[in-house]
Amino acid sequence: MNFNETKDEMNIMIGDSEDVTFTLEEKIRALTKAWNDSYVVKVVWDNSLTFDSSVYQYAIPTSMTTVKGVYISASNSSSDNPEPIDASLWSVIDGNIHFSPTAGRTIPTGYTLYIKGGKKLDPATDTLDTVGLQEYVIALGGYNTLGMLGYKKANLFLKNDTSMSELITLKRDLKDDVREARAKLLREYEAI
């Protein structure tokens, strides 16, 4: 699901396909903010790095924006399902994976490092591939529009059939939906 498709789904969710309550620009802003959320990432793997005990830092592979784990395989082959190395042996500092001086005792020189990470998705070029991620972005985009509606009502003194308490209740309900979708996303992300 690309950005425009998530916008269409959000329009259906908030009941504003005709741009009556929100302008197209406001909806794009709310949805872009949702896409830029730190949970909107794709799980990626990289095996382009080879460990050398004399090198203590490696640049994070360009295929990812965050590192979740570093793995090795006993046979140095991905067919053996690489196992994670202890997190105390490595850390991420300023875009580099830093290994502790004792890492060479666990990781043999010449071994392939299997890096599990996340790639931040770009609304202009990427798609949301999982249902959980799609639901999260749509719910968060809807939640963001309600924040805008509160500002509109407060700043423009809108008079309509909706009371501020109704907006607050609706916003609270959508916030719960976002939290639930985020929790599912977290479980889905950690399971991979």
Side-chain angles (χ1 to χ4, degrees):
M1 184 176 283
N2 65 27
F3 185 85
N4 285 329
E5 291 167 333
T6 56
K7 182 172 55 66
D8 294 342
E9 290 296 319
M10 186 184 74
N11 273 333
I12 293 167
M13 184 189 77
I14 64 174
D16 192 35
S17 295
E18 301 296 320
D19 300 334
V20 174
T21 307
F22 302 101
T23 65
L24 178 60
E25 292 79 16
E26 289 170 327
K27 288 189 257 186
I28 288 172
R29 175 178 282 195
L31 198 54
T32 300
K33 185 176 178 183
W35 272 75
N36 288 332
D37 187 78
S38 61
Y39 284 84
V40 182
V41 295
K42 178 180 183 178
V43 175
V44 292
W45 285 87
D46 182 275
N47 63 350
S48 64
L49 301 176
T50 302
F51 186 77
D52 182 336
S53 60
S54 65
V55 178
Y56 75 96
Q57 77 175 7
Y58 301 82
I60 294 176
T62 57
S63 61
M64 60 185 64
T65 50
T66 59
V67 175
K68 297 294 284 178
V70 178
Y71 297 68
I72 61 170
S73 168
S75 68
N76 202 23
S77 168
S78 63
S79 63
D80 282 344
N81 296 323
E83 297 290 325
I85 64 168
D86 192 271
S88 66
L89 295 176
W90 62 275
S91 59
V92 176
I93 302 170
D94 292 332
N96 291 305
I97 303 169
H98 288 258
F99 286 93
S100 72
T102 60
R105 293 185 207 142
T106 304
I107 309 168
T109 291
Y111 263 51
T112 301
L113 298 174
Y114 299 90
I115 312 295
K116 177 184 178 182
K119 178 187 180 294
K120 185 71 188 97
L121 295 178
D122 181 353
T125 57
D126 290 321
T127 60
L128 305 175
D129 296 330
T130 66
V131 172
L133 201 51
Q134 293 166 4
E135 289 175 356
Y136 177 70
V137 168
I138 293 165
L140 187 56
Y143 178 75
N144 292 340
T145 61
L146 279 181
M148 289 178 172
L149 189 58
Y151 288 125
K152 274 186 172 187
K153 185 162 178 123
N155 293 329
L156 300 176
F157 306 101
L158 293 176
K159 303 275 187 204
N160 59 24
D161 296 336
T162 305
S163 70
M164 199 60 161
S165 64
E166 289 173 319
L167 284 176
I168 291 169
T169 301
L170 183 57
K171 189 174 178 184
R172 189 177 305 125
D173 290 345
L174 264 176
K175 190 173 189 175
D176 290 342
D177 289 348
V178 168
R179 280 188 191 137
E180 184 179 313
R182 184 176 284 166
K184 285 181 189 174
L185 204 56
L186 209 61
R187 289 188 299 272
E188 185 177 291
Y189 182 66
E190 290 173 352
I192 295 176

